[in-house]
């Protein structure tokens, strides 16, 4: 079992729809959770961080964390073609020092 | 300002060359990271510096040699690389709170695209 799992996709959604991206993790000691967006050939760009159970909203993005079920999700409302990218889930924990475990990423395609 | 800068943007080198990648941040962060990313793969952690001390080396071959001259700068010295080392090399930084046990948000630089011939 991978430590952080994401469906590789591609996930295709029509423009204006809600895109739902999921991530599960195996280490119950994980403390912090991050979503990054990465365009092809570019570096990861932070979208959201979440530390507590529940929802966290920022503009069109909502992150949801459920530690009991060990999953974190990202909802993108009113999806735009410019949202087409790979979305990386990163799970952080203290193991001597600060360390992220990345999922393999989900490729999102928003169709115009 | 959440900016991490990296130079050069692109680097082509032969297997016998010695080169260095540079990373700089002015956010007052005390943790800095080197990652390697191959196409269609997630970033792969190489090294972590915390308070200018090397705290994680993920069994990286010795042809990669990190250096942290001060809290704002991070270098990666390259020597005798192999073609399979061609990748996007990413630097990141974050706050460090060793007494709180919280992993803080990492901010990535734009990366250096390295090609080894």
């Amino acid at each position: 079992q991978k430590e952080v799992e994401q469906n590789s996709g591609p996930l295709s959604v029509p423009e204006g729809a809600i895109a739902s991206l999921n991530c599960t993790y195996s280490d119950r000691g994980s403390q912090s959770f991050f979503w990054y967006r990465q365009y092809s050939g570019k570096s990861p760009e932070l979208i959201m961080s979440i530390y507590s159970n529940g929802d966290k909203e920022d503009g069109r993005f909502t992150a949801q964390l459920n530690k009991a079920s060990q999953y974190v999700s990202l909802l993108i409302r009113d999806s735009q073609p410019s949202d087409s990218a790979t979305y990386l889930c990163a799970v952080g924990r203290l193991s001597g020092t600060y360390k992220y475990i990345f999922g393999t990423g989900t490729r999102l395609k928003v169709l115009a | 300002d959440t900016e991490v800068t990296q130079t050069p943007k692109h680097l082509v080198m032969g297997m016998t060359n010695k080169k260095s990648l540079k990373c700089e941040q002015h956010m007052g962060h005390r943790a800095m990271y080197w990652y390697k990313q191959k196409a269609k793969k997630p970033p792969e952690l190489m090294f972590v510096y915390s308070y200018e001390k090397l705290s994680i080396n993920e069994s990286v071959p010795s042809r990669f040699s990190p250096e942290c001259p001060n809290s704002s700068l991070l270098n990666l010295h390259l020597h005798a690389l192999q073609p399979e080392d061609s990748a996007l090399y990413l630097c990141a930084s974050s706050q460090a709170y060793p007494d709180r046990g919280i992993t803080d948000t990492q901010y990535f630089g734009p990366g250096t695209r390295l090609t080894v011939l």
Side-chain angles (χ1 to χ4, degrees):
Chain A
Q1 181 189 8
K2 291 182 182 175
E3 292 187 73
V4 178
E5 295 208 51
Q6 294 181 257
N7 188 320
S8 61
L11 172 66
S12 295
V13 299
E15 184 176 357
I18 295 176
S20 178
L21 305 164
N22 298 313
C23 172
T24 59
Y25 60 94
S26 60
D27 185 353
R28 286 193 174 273
S30 300
Q31 300 158 320
S32 47
F33 307 86
F34 306 89
W35 284 100
Y36 287 84
R37 176 174 63 195
Q38 188 171 28
Y39 294 110
S40 181
K42 302 294 186 183
S43 67
E45 172 193 7
L46 178 72
I47 298 175
M48 300 276 283
S49 60
I50 187 166
Y51 299 88
S52 306
N53 281 330
D55 294 1
K56 180 180 178 183
E57 187 175 319
D58 184 0
R60 294 187 297 113
F61 300 97
T62 299
Q64 300 174 317
L65 175 61
N66 184 324
K67 289 187 178 180
S69 301
Q70 295 175 245
Y71 83 79
V72 57
S73 62
L74 180 70
L75 300 178
I76 306 174
R77 288 181 299 281
D78 188 24
S79 296
Q80 301 297 307
S82 58
D83 294 324
S84 298
T86 295
Y87 289 79
L88 294 164
C89 171
V91 174
R93 62 171 186 247
L94 183 64
S95 58
T97 189
Y98 310 103
K99 192 170 177 178
Y100 273 10
I101 307 298
F102 279 97
T104 52
T106 297
R107 193 155 63 96
L108 174 66
K109 286 185 173 180
V110 181
L111 306 171
Chain B
D1 182 11
T2 55
E3 188 176 69
V4 178
T5 58
Q6 290 187 245
T7 55
K9 290 185 180 179
H10 301 276
L11 179 62
V12 179
M13 59 187 291
M15 289 191 285
T16 58
N17 293 157
K18 286 186 181 180
K19 296 286 184 184
S20 296
L21 309 185
K22 296 186 184 304
C23 174
E24 189 168 5
Q25 57 87 15
H26 293 289
M27 295 179 278
H29 289 171
R30 301 307 297 274
M32 295 185 77
Y33 311 77
W34 279 116
Y35 288 88
K36 171 183 176 180
Q37 188 176 27
K38 304 279 270 185
K40 300 191 188 304
K41 298 288 187 183
E44 180 184 330
L45 184 64
M46 300 174 72
F47 302 104
V48 180
Y49 273 83
S50 180
Y51 293 84
E52 295 93 72
K53 288 187 168 52
L54 183 65
S55 56
I56 291 181
N57 176 341
E58 294 283 33
S59 302
V60 179
S62 60
R63 57 185 184 269
F64 295 92
S65 175
E67 178 196 19
C68 189
N70 60 55
S71 60
S72 301
L73 291 174
L74 185 66
N75 298 323
L76 185 63
H77 302 298
L78 314 172
H79 173 54
L81 295 194
Q82 304 296 310
E84 59 264 29
D85 297 321
S86 298
L88 180 66
Y89 286 83
L90 296 162
C91 174
S93 71
S94 74
Q95 290 285 9
Y97 304 107
D99 57 331
R100 296 189 204 172
I102 294 175
T103 309
D104 212 340
T105 308
Q106 293 182 24
Y107 296 93
F108 286 84
T112 294
R113 175 71 59 188
L114 174 67
T115 302
V116 182
L117 301 176

